[in-house]
Amino acid sequence: MANATIEALRGGCPAPFFNELSFPTEGGHVEGRLCSPLGRMNCCIPCPMTDWAYPDNFNTATQAADWVNVVGMIGCGFLLLSWIVLPVEKTHRHYLSISLTCAVVLMNLGFIIPLAAKPDQCFNEITPHGMDTSSVCAASGAFLLAGGWAGIMWIFLRALSLHLQICWQLVVGRNYMWFSQVLGWGIPIVGLVILLVFSGVSFRFGGTCHINHENSLADFWIPLLVFAGLTVIIQFATFGYCIKVYLASLGDNSASTEGSGMPSYSNSIRTMTPRQAYRRVRRVIQLQWRGIVIVLIIIADVIFFAVIFVFMDNTVESIRTSPDKALTWAACLIAHGGDKNQCLDKASVLVVNLPTVTAVLVLLAMNGLWLLLLLGRWSMVTGWMELFGAINANRGKKEFVSVDARMDDIKQDPRSYEMLDRDSGKPDTVLTPLSATMSPTARGGRATPDYFGQATARYQPHQRSFSSPRPPQQLHWDAMPEYEQSYPQPPMPSSRPHDYVNPLGMNRIEKDEEIQYTTSPRAHYAQPGAADYSRDHVFI
């Protein structure tokens, strides 16, 4: 039954060809049929054409390139997610890098969508699917062409930005950013609409839909190559200027005015010596070398892809318009009963060889990896490690601690005794005298007092701040009885007039409050002839 149906569709054409009259004139991309007159019949090669013109490993090679796109997509996703989540000091993000990465993501989606969907490439035995009959074809073709347009535009804008900074010393600011956004996304959107309306996409080479031949030069390839050519011209003009500045700096023997204290006009090229211009250019290149390498790589990939695909498109179109070029290959297929392996040498002159096609697809797929290697930084990895470490630390706190308990812990920590309410606007608190039990001499000897041992201890800020510079303080020390003779206490100065303000005696208790402090242990260590300061005032 199936063989009878196939023979009926052949309509008298020898295997493996089919009679065009056996199929409807609508549905799929009818212009994509490859047919040749054979006697009174018009016989067409089966769909897809690549299964007959290329060896069996053609699909394996194209799928391998698609999986490279998956890896590149993962790299671009890591970059975009890092730029969104991590702080700028970890990523050094820039709108030119972000927009270029988004363009490469669009291009990768053009290959990943058919890899995941695995669509049928043919509408019937001789007609490939077009964007009107296959949603997968429409999506993959739109993403691929939009990504190619956007990639070329953002490479052009990046090269232009570098040229303006190096050659013209212009600061690309907010105005250039908005200009880039309008041009970098506006032209691809307009160009995509125009090419889908006047050309369309269909399955032509492999599982990804490409632009059709009709009007493709006018609405896609020529404008794309124009911007690519402008990018190459601008980039090489920048390189030429850098070489000129470097050669001029070699012959410059004048002393540099950099750091001389004289007024410099760095915004004018005419006032800069060649050596100064070389230093400035070198600094810009050191900061922008990644962008320069990306421009060179992607522009080379796009130009290579455009040239190869235009050649393939013209070759297939020439076979469709001039079937005589494929008569030798068709006769070989008929003679060998449809065994393509016996006729691959005849088909090689009609199509681009498999290694070249594979190289084009792999180079396009590696754009995402190049972006990851050149725009990615190790600080992104450390930033993610710090972020996940902070999240895990927050999850590790299993018990609930009230605010009051936390405040008690803070109050018991000696490091928390700070003058926090100095500028809080609260009224100054009065310093209360320490009790005798808190005095270091009350327990005898030179033992270290335990000021932080009691849970009820509260810090009382001074009524006046002593954080500012002040005269040297008079230090007093109490000698142990057994060391009193070996280390005699230095003679104390005579009493000062009342207008003298002792920094340690600002907070003191006058004679009317002396009674409650007369039992000071200091009296046991007083030396003969030394002044007794406890009779005038008491230090607290």
Side-chain angles (χ1 to χ4, degrees):
M1 183 67 181
N3 293 333
T5 303
I6 293 176
E7 291 298 328
L9 293 176
R10 297 192 189 281
C13 291
F17 300 99
F18 291 93
N19 194 336
E20 186 179 15
L21 297 178
S22 302
F23 300 92
T25 57
E26 296 180 354
H29 183 57
V30 179
E31 291 79 6
R33 297 174 179 176
L34 289 179
C35 301
S36 176
L38 185 62
R40 297 182 178 180
M41 300 175 294
N42 199 21
C43 298
C44 304
I45 190 171
C47 176
M49 184 269 296
T50 54
D51 287 352
W52 299 91
Y54 287 99
D56 295 334
N57 59 349
F58 176 81
N59 292 329
T60 303
T62 56
Q63 288 183 1
D66 293 342
W67 281 108
V68 176
N69 277 280
V70 174
V71 178
M73 184 69 173
I74 296 174
C76 292
F78 172 78
L79 290 176
L80 292 175
L81 195 61
S82 299
W83 287 328
I84 293 173
V85 177
L86 299 180
V88 65
E89 59 269 12
K90 294 289 186 181
T91 61
H92 301 275
R93 59 177 176 262
H94 194 271
Y95 67 93
L96 291 175
S97 302
I98 296 175
S99 300
L100 179 59
T101 305
C102 293
V104 174
V105 166
L106 294 178
M107 192 184 304
N108 289 337
L109 287 175
F111 295 96
I112 295 176
I113 290 177
L115 178 65
K118 294 181 174 56
D120 189 2
Q121 300 182 22
C122 301
F123 180 78
N124 52 39
E125 280 75 5
I126 62 172
T127 309
H129 268 299
M131 64 179 186
D132 297 330
T133 57
S134 175
S135 59
V136 176
C137 176
S140 64
F143 279 119
L144 177 62
L145 299 178
W149 251 124
I152 282 293
M153 292 307 304
W154 285 107
I155 286 296
F156 166 75
L157 292 171
R158 196 178 189 99
L160 180 61
S161 172
L162 187 66
H163 181 77
L164 294 176
Q165 293 180 63
I166 293 180
C167 300
W168 301 98
Q169 289 187 284
L170 296 179
V171 178
V172 287
R174 185 174 297 273
N175 292 334
Y176 187 82
M177 183 190 71
W178 291 116
F179 169 76
S180 300
Q181 296 296 331
V182 173
L183 200 67
W185 297 114
I187 290 182
I189 292 175
V190 174
L192 179 63
V193 173
I194 292 176
L195 68 88
L196 289 179
V197 172
F198 293 99
S199 296
V201 295
S202 62
F203 287 106
R204 306 188 66 189
F205 304 101
T208 302
C209 278
H210 298 274
I211 187 171
N212 297 324
H213 177 76
E214 294 80 12
N215 304 316
S216 60
L217 289 177
D219 57 30
F220 183 69
W221 293 115
I222 290 179
L224 191 74
L225 292 177
V226 165
F227 280 100
L230 290 176
T231 304
V232 173
I233 293 173
I234 293 174
Q235 193 70 27
F236 279 97
T238 305
F239 286 161
Y241 176 80
C242 295
I243 295 174
K244 175 186 175 182
V245 170
Y246 174 72
L247 295 178
S249 67
L250 295 179
D252 181 25
N253 297 323
S254 60
S256 175
T257 60
E258 184 176 1
S260 61
M262 302 297 292
S264 62
Y265 303 92
S266 59
N267 291 331
S268 176
I269 299 179
R270 297 179 181 178
T271 59
M272 297 182 65
T273 64
R275 193 177 297 273
Q276 289 175 326
Y278 170 69
R279 289 195 186 98
R280 179 182 56 81
V281 171
R282 185 178 61 183
R283 285 195 298 266
V284 175
I285 293 178
Q286 287 175 350
L287 295 175
Q288 301 286 344
W289 69 270
R290 291 181 177 88
I292 296 174
V293 175
I294 289 174
V295 169
L296 295 177
I297 291 177
I298 295 185
I299 201 67
D301 290 348
V302 172
I303 292 178
F304 184 40
F305 172 76
V307 171
I308 296 300
F309 191 86
V310 169
F311 179 77
M312 294 172 61
D313 183 58
N314 291 333
T315 301
V316 175
E317 186 64 19
S318 64
I319 295 174
R320 191 171 69 87
T321 56
S322 301
D324 296 339
K325 296 181 178 180
L327 285 179
T328 304
W329 175 54
C332 179
L333 288 175
I334 295 173
H336 291 86
D339 187 2
K340 69 172 185 178
N341 295 321
Q342 302 296 328
C343 305
L344 290 178
D345 56 337
K346 308 292 191 301
S348 60
V349 298
L350 304 176
V351 295
V352 179
N353 56 44
L354 180 60
T356 303
V357 175
T358 305
V360 170
L361 296 179
V362 171
L363 287 177
L364 283 178
M366 289 186 63
N367 287 332
L369 296 178
W370 289 122
L371 291 180
L372 178 63
L373 293 177
L374 295 174
L375 297 182
R377 299 172 182 267
W378 182 251
S379 58
M380 293 182 177
V381 178
T382 58
W384 281 109
M385 294 173 62
E386 293 174 1
L387 180 61
F388 287 123
I391 294 176
N392 293 332
N394 293 332
R395 291 181 178 177
K397 297 179 180 179
K398 299 180 180 180
E399 61 177 355
F400 174 79
V401 181
S402 64
V403 178
D404 295 336
R406 292 174 183 264
M407 291 302 297
D408 290 339
D409 294 338
I410 294 174
K411 292 174 182 177
Q412 293 178 4
D413 188 359
R415 294 174 297 178
S416 64
Y417 282 81
E418 299 178 1
M419 301 180 67
L420 301 178
D421 58 346
R422 178 179 176 183
D423 300 326
S424 60
K426 298 181 180 180
D428 295 333
T429 58
V430 180
L431 182 64
T432 59
L434 294 175
S435 62
T437 58
M438 296 297 295
S439 176
T441 59
R443 294 172 294 179
R446 300 171 61 183
T448 302
D450 185 12
Y451 289 108
F452 309 108
Q454 298 182 4
T456 58
R458 295 295 186 269
Y459 175 78
Q460 300 293 339
H462 285 284
Q463 193 171 8
R464 301 177 64 180
S465 175
F466 291 93
S467 59
S468 59
R470 59 185 184 271
Q473 301 179 2
Q474 297 179 358
L475 302 178
H476 303 279
W477 63 286
D478 297 329
M480 296 292 290
E482 56 270 14
Y483 298 105
E484 190 172 6
Q485 299 298 329
S486 300
Y487 300 94
Q489 185 176 4
M492 303 298 291
S494 59
S495 59
R496 299 287 184 179
H498 293 288
D499 55 355
Y500 173 75
V501 180
N502 188 352
L504 298 178
M506 291 182 179
N507 299 318
R508 68 189 182 188
I509 301 176
E510 300 297 335
K511 291 182 177 181
D512 51 11
E513 301 176 2
E514 179 186 5
I515 300 175
Q516 55 180 336
Y517 298 100
T518 55
T519 59
S520 172
R522 184 178 177 85
H524 299 285
Y525 304 102
Q527 295 182 0
D532 189 3
Y533 288 90
S534 63
R535 297 181 180 274
D536 297 330
H537 49 266
V538 177
F539 289 94
I540 58 175

